[in-house]
Each structure stands twice: as C-alpha cells, then as structure tokens.
Amino acid sequence: MTNADPFLAQLERARVAAKSLATVTTAQKNAALEAIAAALESSVPEIVEENAKDLALGAQKGIGDGLLDRLRLDETRLFGLAAAVRTVIALPDPVGEVLRGSTLANGIRINQVRVPFGVVGAIYEARPNVTIDIAALALKSGNGAVLRGGTAAENSNRVLVNLIQRALSNVGLDGDAVQTIDEFGREGASRLMRARGYIDVLIPRGSAGLISTVVQESTVPVIETGSGIVHVFVDATADEDMAAAIVTNSKTHRPSVCNAAETLLVHRDAAARMLPRLARELQESGVALSGDGAARARLDGIAEADDETWATEHLALEMGIRVVDSLDEAIAHIARYSTHHTESIVTQDYANAERFLAEVDSAVVMVNTSTRFTDGGEFGFGAEVGISTQKLHARGPMGLAELTSTKWLVRGGGQIR
C-alpha cells in the first residue's frame, strides 16, 4: 500500500530500492557509476545553468565567499567529480568481504562479512559535490541514499539527483535508490532526523551548528562529522623551507574547507628564526593574522588573539598564531581547542614526531605534511562521505568500508547445543 504521506512515501521507495541494490553484482553497480560519470560530463551546460541560479541567490542573500566557493560547480569541478566516481568504480566492492572467521570445535563455520547499512541519510549545506560523492559511495556499498542538500543548493541538487536516477534506470537498477528531500525544506530535515525505521544511519556535513543540531535532535543513529579547528605546530627543529610550504598550503590552498589550518603554533626556540618568514608568506597570500603577546612582539601590525580566536573555525583567510614553550604546551593547546579533526607537526626530531602522533587525540595526526591531505580522495577512497571526528565505527575520511555494517554467517551440519 502506498503511504499517503508524500515524505514517508519517498523514504519508503528508497528503502525498497535499497533492498534490491544490496544484492546486485559489483559489475551492475560499476555500470551504474560509469553511467553517472558519463552523464556528469555530457550534462555540464545543464548543471552549470542550474548551479548559476543557486550562486545568484546565494550572493543575493550574502552567504559569504566561503559558502559560495563550496556551492560553485563549473566544468572543471564537474569533470573532477566524474573522475572521482570512476575512482570509486576501480575500488574493491566492500560488500561480502570476510573480516574474520573460524571453524568451531563442533564443526560449525562462522564468518563475519560486510553488508550495506540499508538507507543512508545525509544532511549538508551548499555543497552540491557532496550529492555526487555520497551517492557514488552509497551505491558502490549497496546502500540507498536520501539527501537533504539545503536550500542554497536546491537547483543544483535537483538536477544532479535527476541525473543519478536516470543513470540508474538506464542500466536496469531502481532509480529510487537515490532521493532528494530538498522540496520539503527545513521540516524535511527535521523529519529525516526522526525517520527511524526508514533511515538506518544519518550523516551530517556542514557547520558546527548544523552538526550539533543533528547529533542532539536525531533519533536515527548518527555518524558525527566535525568542524575543523585544525592546528599546525612548528617545532624547534623544523626545516624553515618545509615549514613555510606546509603552513602556507594548509591555510591558503582552499581556506573554506574543514581541513584548512586555523591555528599556527610555533615553538619559542624557533620563533626568531621562523615567525617573520611564516607571517610574511601568509600575509602575501592574503591571510589576516592575529597573535598572542609573544607573536605580536616579533610581528608588526597583527591583531591581538584571545580565547575566541583559538576556538573559531574561520573558513576564511584568517589565522591565529601562538608561541609555545614546548611540545607539551602545544599538545595541551590542541587538546583544549581542537575539534579532533586534523593536526600536523613540522619537525626534524623523531622522538617529538612520535610523541605528537601518539598523544594528539584527533581523527588524523600528521608529521611534516599539509593538513589539506585529510581528504577521502587523497586517501585513495575516490570520494568521501565526510570526515568523522567521533570514535565509534568510523573515524577520519569515510569511504566505502565506513558505509557498511557486518553480519555473522553461521554454517552448520545439524549441531545442537
């Protein structure tokens, strides 16, 4: 019987489609993904036209340069999304993978295998690329997807989901496996959080406020992604050229994303040697700097930093600088202010590097590299559902394996207990 409630009817269609998707072959799923990639490339003018409507509305509403950058789709980005989908095609299918198993003394054989969640819900804002990323990963891992991409990207998301649904149907799969509920607005997002029995897991991506709302209000299990108050610590032994390159790239490569660095910590013994160059190169890239007393004593014309500086995810060309007396003080600062996303140390001291890796409690901890590498694509996942900052099930960039659960298969020959 068809549900009289249009919202629940849509979720039910996704659930029915997900059941069929859970048992299709890897070849069928890959054919669907190739159809999506090809459609992205052949539909560039149509997608860009709809995206332009969202960009115009966003500019009119003053959503800010950072969100406008995330919202924008152009030919280069669309071909990049198609390439990411094809990377997912090349990855092993996680469904059915045996994680462990044994034969008991009584002859019963047991195996733990990966299985799809069922229907993955996602709530995100002004990021139409996420529509493709989540759909591709959900499909390859045998899941349906119900997407709430936000009013700011409604036109972009609608055309992308229509494209995905047509691609699925063209290869003989159920197009209802991927749905958008943007038409239901904020009420749709609220109902998605309470759609237990229809949605198996809910993943929020976006601002700290959005993520907090989903975590606190959802009755559906949530995989928490996090905002990124990301740190780079320049240790006393850091190589100057390496530190300058890493700090500048971490902050300026794409400042509007969650793996961009927000705070620079510099060891006091490196401050005289390093701070002037680090600040100069950041400022030449357009970064507005603020600092503690020790940093301001060495750098002219930078603003005064305070607790709010260290606790802010700027998502813009802004950065706080603090001079610390030791590795211990750097780790303590990170423990207090970090959102447990990504932290990096620049050092030539092996012992300090290993201590940093062991003692910093974040999803991704790095030595001598840019924080911008915390990314599913860079990790070889093809795309990502998000960066999980929780500690249950998934942590860090989430790819195919993180969209599966497990079940135990038990094969016997008449044994009883």
Side-chain angles (χ1 to χ4, degrees):
M1 180 181 295
T2 302
N3 198 310
D5 182 330
F7 179 83
L8 292 181
Q10 193 167 340
L11 267 56
E12 181 61 31
R13 291 197 301 274
R15 192 154 192 84
V16 170
K19 289 180 180 178
S20 66
L21 191 64
T23 57
V24 303
T25 66
T26 301
Q28 288 174 294
K29 290 187 282 190
N30 286 344
L33 293 173
E34 176 55 39
I36 291 170
L40 283 169
E41 293 171 340
S42 64
S43 304
V44 168
E46 177 187 3
I47 298 169
V48 169
E49 180 180 354
E50 294 302 308
N51 181 247
K53 298 176 184 178
D54 291 330
L55 289 170
L57 286 171
Q60 182 180 337
K61 293 179 180 179
I63 66 174
D65 291 341
L67 279 180
L68 283 173
D69 177 61
R70 290 184 172 189
L71 181 58
R72 182 172 290 103
L73 292 176
D74 55 24
E75 182 175 356
T76 299
R77 289 188 178 182
L78 288 168
F79 271 78
L81 284 173
V85 172
R86 291 193 173 103
T87 301
V88 174
I89 293 173
L91 295 173
D93 188 339
V95 177
E97 177 189 356
V98 177
L99 299 181
R100 54 180 168 163
S102 63
T103 300
L104 305 183
N106 61 10
I108 291 176
R109 291 179 294 126
I110 62 173
N111 291 104
Q112 185 185 30
V113 301
R114 291 195 185 278
V115 294
F117 278 125
V119 180
V120 176
I123 299 177
Y124 50 102
E125 50 194 3
R127 306 172 187 215
N129 64 295
V130 173
T131 300
I132 297 297
D133 288 347
I134 292 182
L137 291 170
L139 292 169
K140 182 68 180 260
S141 55
N143 294 288
V146 176
L147 310 174
R148 161 61 177 163
T151 304
E154 188 168 353
N155 293 295
S156 305
N157 290 331
R158 183 187 304 112
V159 70
L160 291 173
V161 170
N162 287 339
L163 173 155
I164 293 166
Q165 292 175 336
R166 291 196 304 268
L168 289 171
S169 298
N170 288 341
V171 298
L173 299 182
D174 192 339
D176 284 335
V178 178
Q179 304 274 354
T180 174
I181 58 163
D182 283 351
E183 65 182 283
F184 297 99
R186 289 183 179 272
E187 177 60 20
S190 296
R191 294 191 69 185
L192 191 65
M193 295 180 213
R194 301 190 299 272
R196 199 175 182 95
Y198 293 90
I199 303 298
D200 293 286
V201 65
L202 188 58
I203 302 169
R205 282 189 65 174
S207 66
L210 180 147
I211 293 165
S212 176
T213 296
V214 174
V215 170
Q216 293 177 29
E217 296 186 9
S218 180
T219 62
V220 176
V222 175
I223 297 178
E224 183 177 354
T225 64
S227 55
I229 299 180
V230 172
H231 299 78
V232 178
F233 170 48
V234 176
D235 196 15
T237 62
D239 176 83
E240 184 174 335
D241 291 338
M242 180 189 293
I246 288 172
V247 170
T248 302
N249 183 261
S250 295
K251 176 72 256 184
T252 69
H253 183 255
R254 197 175 174 196
S256 65
V257 295
C258 60
N259 60 18
E262 303 291 10
T263 299
L264 170 61
L265 303 174
V266 180
H267 195 290
R268 188 171 300 277
D269 293 345
R273 177 171 63 94
M274 300 288 289
L275 262 183
R277 177 177 174 181
L278 294 175
R280 182 180 71 252
E281 295 195 12
L282 287 166
Q283 289 172 324
E284 287 173 352
S285 297
V287 180
L289 300 176
S290 56
D292 67 352
R296 293 174 70 229
R298 296 187 179 278
L299 302 172
D300 294 330
I302 71 168
E304 184 176 358
D306 54 21
D307 279 352
E308 185 177 353
T309 305
W310 315 129
T312 298
E313 183 186 26
H314 301 290
L315 299 176
L317 289 172
E318 301 176 43
M319 192 175 209
I321 302 176
R322 181 181 177 187
V323 176
V324 295
D325 289 332
S326 64
L327 174 62
D328 288 317
E329 189 175 348
I331 291 174
H333 178 101
I334 292 169
R336 178 175 178 183
Y337 294 103
S338 172
T339 53
H340 308 291
H341 189 294
T342 301
E343 329 296 345
S344 183
I345 183 174
V346 187
T347 186
Q348 298 299 310
D349 186 314
Y350 176 82
N352 282 359
E354 292 303 307
R355 273 198 62 203
F356 192 84
L357 291 173
E359 296 181 27
V360 171
D361 183 22
S362 290
V364 181
V365 187
M366 301 175 158
V367 174
N368 293 337
T369 193
S370 169
T371 62
R372 286 285 289 123
F373 283 106
T374 298
D375 175 86
E378 294 293 333
F379 277 27
F381 302 163
E384 69 185 24
V385 180
I387 309 291
S388 171
T389 54
Q390 63 166 28
K391 296 187 181 183
L392 299 178
H393 172 64
R395 200 177 191 198
M398 296 169 55
L400 292 171
E402 287 72 30
L403 287 183
T404 62
S405 182
T406 66
K407 69 179 179 183
W408 288 91
L409 307 181
V410 181
R411 296 176 173 91
Q415 295 91 336
I416 61 173
R417 185 175 181 183

